[in-house]
């Protein structure tokens, strides 16, 4: 009967909410848990409707997109020949999720903001020089990419303990920039693809307290969280350039049209204590498995502003660029070789 009730409520959730939920409970203690409360009141709704809201998922995707654009290192100064660069960019959002049932597990220190960070390689080419067409001398093509695998040791901004972190970023982009003159306004047109997979896995070092239907229980188990994004972005911006000797200053405005999705999958495997004895896990051994998925389609218009500075010394140069959007910000530091 328990599995029939679970199936009924899973079917109800599937058709009523934009999520996939699977709950399996094994053991005598499962008979003491109201399935309605378990599915609708304590787990499914808080995770999707209160914790990983559409705003939070979009902010995570937006942070990754802004970082990808900033990683292009296109700057504001026209390049007459070829420029190769290495840089590091980071981005974060100011939108935070709410507390959820992982608060009472080892994953209570999960990332509380959308973040993105990685190194990148870029190449900037003057089309007039490369195609031997003087009519295209005012056009620069900028390409960048960064396939990047990371763990806890090289994942900035994310403070997690006793948690295995793994993931991969495979971002790339292309931008055409038109320079009517050496100084003054220039215009850029770009396409970018943001590809992220981030996984966190941990186990509880000790039982922790939680509530079921108002009754205090304890549980101990393993936790998994997986974040994924696939976003294609179309970018347009305008920058004003001012050159003073070896320094180039630029500032501007731009906007991005994004199309793609972000998703979060959470899993929890745990042993639960007896209702009458919160410290007793052995008299009526019972276990609980939860799997919850949510996926948010991302179709967003995202404006941003930027300021940057470059310093060039013969063939070597350094750059710093800061971008800011609605509840988003990104910083890029780069060095480049011109020849």
């Amino acid at each position: 009967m328990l599995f029939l009730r679970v199936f009924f409520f899973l079917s109800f959730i599937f058709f009523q909410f934009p999520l996939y939920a699977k709950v399996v409970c094994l053991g005598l203690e499962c008979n003491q848990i109201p399935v309605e409360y378990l599915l609708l009141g304590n787990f499914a709704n808080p995770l999707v409707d209160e914790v990983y809201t559409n705003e939070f998922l979009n902010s995570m995707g937006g942070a990754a997109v802004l970082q990808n654009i900033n990683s292009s290192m296109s700057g504001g100064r026209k390049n007459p020949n070829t420029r190769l660069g290495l840089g590091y960019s980071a981005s974060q959002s100011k939108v935070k999720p709410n507390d959820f049932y992982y608060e009472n597990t080892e994953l209570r220190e999960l990332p509380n903001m959308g973040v993105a960070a990685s190194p990148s390689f870029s190449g900037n080419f003057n089309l007039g020089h490369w195609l031997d067409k003087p009519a295209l001398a005012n056009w620069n093509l900028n390409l960048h990419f960064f396939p990047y695998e990371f763990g806890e040791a090289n994942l900035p901004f994310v403070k997690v303990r006793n948690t295995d972190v793994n993931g991969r970023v495979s971002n790339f982009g292309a931008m055409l920039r038109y320079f009517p003159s050496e100084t003054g306004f220039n215009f850029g047109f770009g396409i970018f693809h943001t590809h992220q997979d981030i996984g966190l896995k941990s186990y509880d070092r000790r039982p922790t307290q939680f509530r079921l239907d108002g009754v205090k229980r304890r549980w101990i188990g393993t936790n998994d969280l997986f974040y994924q994004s696939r976003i294609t972005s179309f970018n347009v911006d305008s920058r004003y350039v001012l050159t003073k000797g070896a320094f180039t200053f630029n500032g501007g405005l731009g906007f991005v049209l994004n199309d793609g999705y972000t998703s979060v999958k959470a899993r929890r495997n745990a042993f639960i204590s007896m209702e009458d004895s919160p410290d007793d896990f052995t008299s009526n051994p019972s276990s609980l498995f939860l799997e919850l998925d949510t996926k948010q389609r991302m179709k967003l218009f995202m404006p941003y502003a930027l300021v940057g500075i470059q310093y060039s010394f013969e063939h070597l140069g350094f750059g710093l660029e800061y971008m800011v959007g609605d509840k988003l910000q990104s910083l890029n530091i780069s060095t480049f070789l011109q020849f």
Side-chain angles (χ1 to χ4, degrees):
M1 290 300 294
L2 176 62
F3 287 100
L4 290 178
R5 295 171 69 192
V6 170
F7 177 79
F8 172 80
F9 282 101
L10 285 178
S11 301
F12 175 79
I13 289 177
F14 179 79
F15 288 108
Q16 295 294 323
F17 299 95
L19 66 94
Y20 164 79
K22 180 167 64 177
V23 179
V24 177
C25 187
L26 300 173
L28 295 177
E29 285 301 311
C30 299
N31 295 324
Q32 309 298 325
I33 303 174
V35 178
E36 300 89 340
Y37 179 83
L38 181 67
L39 294 179
L40 300 179
N42 195 54
F43 294 105
N45 284 344
L47 181 64
V48 178
D49 295 335
E50 296 179 16
V51 182
Y52 288 114
T53 62
N54 292 346
E55 184 183 15
F56 177 69
L57 289 178
N58 282 335
S59 77
M60 293 187 72
V65 168
L66 197 64
Q67 181 233 357
N68 196 3
I69 295 172
N70 212 359
S71 297
S72 68
M73 296 180 281
S74 62
R77 190 173 190 173
K78 184 174 74 172
N79 170 36
N81 296 310
T82 303
R83 187 181 74 204
L84 300 179
L86 290 172
Y88 196 92
S89 59
S91 181
Q92 70 176 31
S93 76
K94 299 178 182 179
V95 179
K96 297 184 179 182
N98 298 321
D99 293 335
F100 65 128
Y101 72 87
Y102 276 143
E103 182 184 4
N104 291 325
T105 72
E106 289 301 321
L107 285 182
R108 58 185 174 272
E109 294 186 39
L110 280 171
N112 61 2
M113 61 178 66
V115 297
S118 73
S120 59
F121 173 79
S122 71
N124 190 293
F125 311 95
N126 184 280
L127 294 185
H129 173 77
W130 274 83
L131 300 177
D132 196 22
K133 292 184 179 297
L136 298 178
N138 289 338
W139 288 90
N140 281 176
L141 172 65
N142 199 87
L143 305 173
H144 78 278
F145 68 95
F146 43 95
Y148 180 56
E149 295 189 6
F150 55 80
E152 181 181 355
N154 59 351
L155 186 61
F157 307 119
V158 179
K159 182 182 178 182
V160 288
R161 295 184 304 175
N162 306 302
T163 301
D164 293 330
V165 181
N166 63 81
R168 182 176 178 83
V169 176
S170 302
N171 293 358
F172 56 87
M175 174 170 279
L176 273 173
R177 185 164 295 280
Y178 176 64
F179 296 83
S181 61
E182 293 294 331
T183 59
F185 286 100
N186 61 70
F187 308 93
F189 314 88
I191 181 170
F192 302 85
H193 183 69
T194 303
H195 182 118
Q196 291 182 309
D197 296 306
I198 301 173
L200 300 102
K201 183 179 181 65
S202 77
Y203 64 92
D204 301 339
R205 291 172 297 169
R206 57 185 179 275
T208 53
Q209 182 175 290
F210 74 113
R211 289 178 178 271
L212 278 176
D213 199 20
V215 178
K216 291 182 180 180
R217 296 284 191 104
R218 304 189 81 190
W219 62 359
I220 187 169
T222 61
N223 318 283
D224 296 273
L225 190 82
F226 183 72
Y227 168 80
Q228 184 181 79
S229 69
R230 302 287 187 273
I231 305 168
T232 300
S233 307
F234 303 92
N235 163 258
V236 176
D237 72 27
S238 176
R239 305 185 181 198
Y240 186 83
V241 180
L242 182 63
T243 300
K244 294 291 185 180
F247 290 91
T248 300
F249 305 89
N250 73 93
L253 299 172
F255 67 86
V256 189
L257 293 175
N258 300 303
D259 180 50
Y261 71 87
T262 57
S263 67
V264 171
K265 176 183 290 187
R267 291 193 183 100
R268 169 78 167 153
N269 293 280
F271 291 101
I272 57 176
S273 64
M274 292 182 59
E275 181 178 13
D276 298 331
S277 179
D279 295 316
D280 188 349
F281 290 85
T282 58
S283 297
N284 290 332
S286 302
S287 60
L288 191 64
F289 170 77
L290 302 100
E291 180 176 300
L292 300 165
D293 298 351
T294 179
K295 185 175 181 179
Q296 169 66 15
R297 187 73 180 178
M298 186 174 179
K299 286 184 175 289
L300 285 180
F301 170 82
M302 194 171 75
Y304 64 89
L306 65 95
V307 292
I309 182 173
Q310 288 184 346
Y311 173 78
S312 299
F313 177 73
E314 295 183 351
H315 298 292
L316 187 64
F318 303 92
L320 182 68
E321 189 168 271
Y322 175 74
M323 291 183 175
V324 59
D326 181 25
K327 299 180 181 179
L328 297 169
Q329 58 183 343
S330 177
L331 182 68
N332 174 266
I333 301 174
S334 62
T335 182
F336 51 86
L337 180 66
Q338 301 179 108
F339 53 91

